[in-house]
Amino acid sequence: MSGTLYGVGVGPGAPDLMTLRAARLIEGAGVIAYPTLAGAASFARSIAADLIPAGAREIIMDVPMTLDRAPAQAAYDAGAAQIADALIAGDDVVCLCEGDPFFYGSFMYLHARLNTQFTVKVVPGVTSVTACAAEAGRPLVARNERLTILPGPMDEAALRERIAGAEAVAIMKVGRHLPKLRAVIEDLGLTDHATYIERATLPEQVVTPLRGAPEKAPYFSMILLTKGADPWL
Amino acid sequence: MSGTLYGVGVGPGAPDLMTLRAARLIEGAGVIAYPTLAGAASFARSIAADLIPAGAREIIMDVPMTLDRAPAQAAYDAGAAQIADALIAGDDVVCLCEGDPFFYGSFMYLHARLNTQFTVKVVPGVTSVTACAAEAGRPLVARNERLTILPGPMDEAALRERIAGAEAVAIMKVGRHLPKLRAVIEDLGLTDHATYIERATLPEQVVTPLRGAPEKAPYFSMILLTKGADPWL
């Protein structure tokens, strides 16, 4: 009988923000899989590191950093083939995913490739969005407010329109897009409503009003913006 | 020295989707607090039940179900006063929250009342949104897609506009709003893109294409809708 593929969210960064289910699966894993980006260390693996059994086999998918989509898809093809071999051999495979597997997670590439042929189970994880709100001490949405989650790479006009029409906003993947995002938010008169958070829940975390944000933001950074549309107090 | 108030997300329903941090805090709690709605049992408490120490004191805030906001605010005032007394006495207080404390969570009412006077820490939890996506086997957002989270009680015109302009959509708190939501989604030609999920991760969970959804939905139900805007495969 074939093994089961588990897409396991390991949460936003602090190892103890993993779920009990994720921890149990990782501790019992014979085969662990995860993607790395252009040869860099895996953040997901670093979160789970203390729980990975000494003898576990590791399937690493190294995803090249290119604008062209084909090389990344080829890396997932190759990874999916290795994972399929392990599943066919009867092993369960635990695939580690930062945050949540289906929330901007690369696990969806494996899910799409393997879901029809094998049993695939997804273990949801704490996302960076609620982790950032927790660390910022900043409620996200109450009552009948709407939450819009936007990726920082969006173009300026689209960002402006979406932010203007939204209530509570989380902007993910800030990184090199910070100057553009600052300009749009300032132009909409919303700077005083915006908080910048970087590497939430990790020891090196930064939480500051957007005005005090550093000039350079890493990929793992976010802007939370709430307009207080619903006066919930 | 005053104790610390912890707002602890216990996740979407399955007890093992609690985080390691949440479990540790609950297991060690001397004082546990949670709201109940109009005298009903607390869902958050039921998720955490097996971890609550036998001798723990429980502070229950019973929130009346009224459209008028004042009675609910009075219940949180009274609960906050009891929690404040415990904190002043030097006890830590663990407040249990379904899902995540700051994501449509009533903990924000306590946070607002106690945050300036006491140390308040928020432990983020797995939200129903990613739990529903996991159970439905349905990726939420990839690459540069946007996610819009809407509450079912919104009026029909506003829902129509928001859904029409969105890419991936999660509609929370479906409950008695299901007929209205069905009509809007059908009218927008999106019924075939919509999945209905009820009581995600619990044994009595329901996952079905929206077409097959029951006539009556409980409060803990959701519709996920993805238009496939970004062809990520």
Side-chain angles (χ1 to χ4, degrees):
Chain A
M1 215 186 109
S2 292
T4 295
L5 171 60
Y6 294 92
V8 172
V10 296
D16 68 345
L17 290 177
M18 209 177 303
T19 64
L20 299 167
R21 189 181 299 176
R24 182 179 48 80
L25 285 166
I26 294 164
E27 284 168 339
V31 185
I32 299 264
Y34 49 88
T36 54
L37 196 62
S42 159
F43 180 42
R45 192 194 184 287
S46 76
I47 297 171
D50 287 348
L51 298 175
I52 298 175
R57 185 183 144 211
E58 304 195 18
I59 297 176
I60 304 171
M61 288 155 277
D62 192 50
V63 180
M65 229 182 312
T66 56
L67 272 179
D68 179 18
R69 246 182 275 173
Q73 297 288 356
Y76 290 115
D77 283 341
Q82 281 188 76
I83 291 170
D85 286 345
L87 296 171
I88 289 166
D91 290 324
D92 292 341
V93 177
V94 172
C95 184
L96 306 176
C97 312
E98 299 145 13
D100 179 277
F102 277 169
F103 184 71
Y104 298 109
S106 54
F107 183 72
M108 50 183 82
Y109 297 102
L110 297 173
H111 184 267
R113 282 166 171 77
L114 298 166
N115 183 41
T116 54
Q117 204 183 339
F118 300 99
T119 301
V120 182
K121 292 187 177 167
V122 175
V123 179
V126 172
T127 67
S128 53
V129 175
T130 65
C132 283
E135 294 297 333
R138 181 164 186 157
L140 269 174
V141 270
R143 295 166 52 88
N144 287 330
E145 288 183 316
R146 284 79 94 173
L147 175 63
T148 302
I149 298 171
L150 304 173
M154 283 173 65
D155 75 52
E156 195 166 327
L159 272 168
R160 186 184 309 263
E161 190 199 324
R162 296 279 177 156
I163 295 173
E167 295 178 347
V169 183
I171 307 171
M172 314 265 305
K173 313 180 189 184
V174 170
R176 64 190 173 82
H177 304 285
L178 182 56
K180 171 186 70 185
L181 295 167
R182 272 190 208 268
V184 167
I185 292 168
E186 180 66 25
D187 196 51
L188 291 169
L190 294 170
T191 301
D192 289 334
H193 296 259
T195 303
Y196 170 86
I197 306 107
E198 137 182 351
R199 303 187 196 282
T201 81
L202 292 175
E204 61 270 33
Q205 160 180 299
V206 175
V207 178
T208 165
L210 180 57
R211 285 200 194 286
E215 284 309 306
K216 284 213 157 193
Y219 178 81
F220 288 107
S221 54
M222 189 179 299
I223 294 170
L224 293 180
L225 207 158
T226 39
K227 301 183 187 175
D230 192 334
W232 49 272
L233 266 184
Chain B
M1 214 184 111
S2 292
T4 295
L5 172 60
Y6 294 93
V8 172
V10 296
D16 67 344
L17 290 177
M18 208 178 302
T19 64
L20 299 167
R21 188 182 299 178
R24 181 177 49 78
L25 284 166
I26 295 165
E27 283 168 340
V31 185
I32 298 265
Y34 49 88
T36 55
L37 196 61
S42 159
F43 181 41
R45 192 194 184 287
S46 77
I47 297 171
D50 287 349
L51 298 175
I52 297 175
R57 186 183 143 211
E58 305 196 17
I59 296 176
I60 305 172
M61 288 155 278
D62 192 50
V63 180
M65 229 183 313
T66 55
L67 272 179
D68 178 19
R69 243 181 276 173
Q73 298 288 356
Y76 290 115
D77 283 340
Q82 281 188 75
I83 291 170
D85 286 345
L87 296 171
I88 289 166
D91 290 324
D92 291 343
V93 177
V94 172
C95 185
L96 306 176
C97 311
E98 299 144 14
D100 179 278
F102 277 169
F103 184 71
Y104 298 111
S106 55
F107 184 71
M108 50 184 80
Y109 297 102
L110 296 174
H111 184 268
R113 283 167 170 77
L114 298 166
N115 183 41
T116 52
Q117 204 183 339
F118 299 99
T119 302
V120 182
K121 291 187 178 168
V122 175
V123 179
V126 172
T127 68
S128 52
V129 175
T130 64
C132 283
E135 294 297 332
R138 177 161 191 163
L140 270 174
V141 270
R143 295 167 51 88
N144 286 331
E145 288 184 315
R146 284 79 94 175
L147 176 62
T148 301
I149 298 171
L150 304 173
M154 281 173 66
D155 75 52
E156 196 167 325
L159 272 168
R160 187 184 309 264
E161 189 199 324
R162 295 280 177 155
I163 295 172
E167 295 179 346
V169 183
I171 307 171
M172 314 265 303
K173 313 181 190 184
V174 170
R176 63 190 174 81
H177 305 284
L178 181 57
K180 171 186 68 184
L181 295 167
R182 273 190 209 269
V184 167
I185 292 168
E186 180 66 25
D187 197 52
L188 290 169
L190 294 169
T191 301
D192 289 335
H193 296 259
T195 302
Y196 169 86
I197 306 107
E198 138 183 349
R199 303 187 195 280
T201 80
L202 291 175
E204 60 270 32
Q205 158 180 301
V206 174
V207 178
T208 166
L210 180 57
R211 285 200 194 287
E215 285 308 306
K216 284 211 156 193
Y219 178 81
F220 288 107
S221 54
M222 190 180 297
I223 296 171
L224 293 180
L225 208 158
T226 40
K227 300 183 187 174
D230 192 334
W232 49 271
L233 267 184

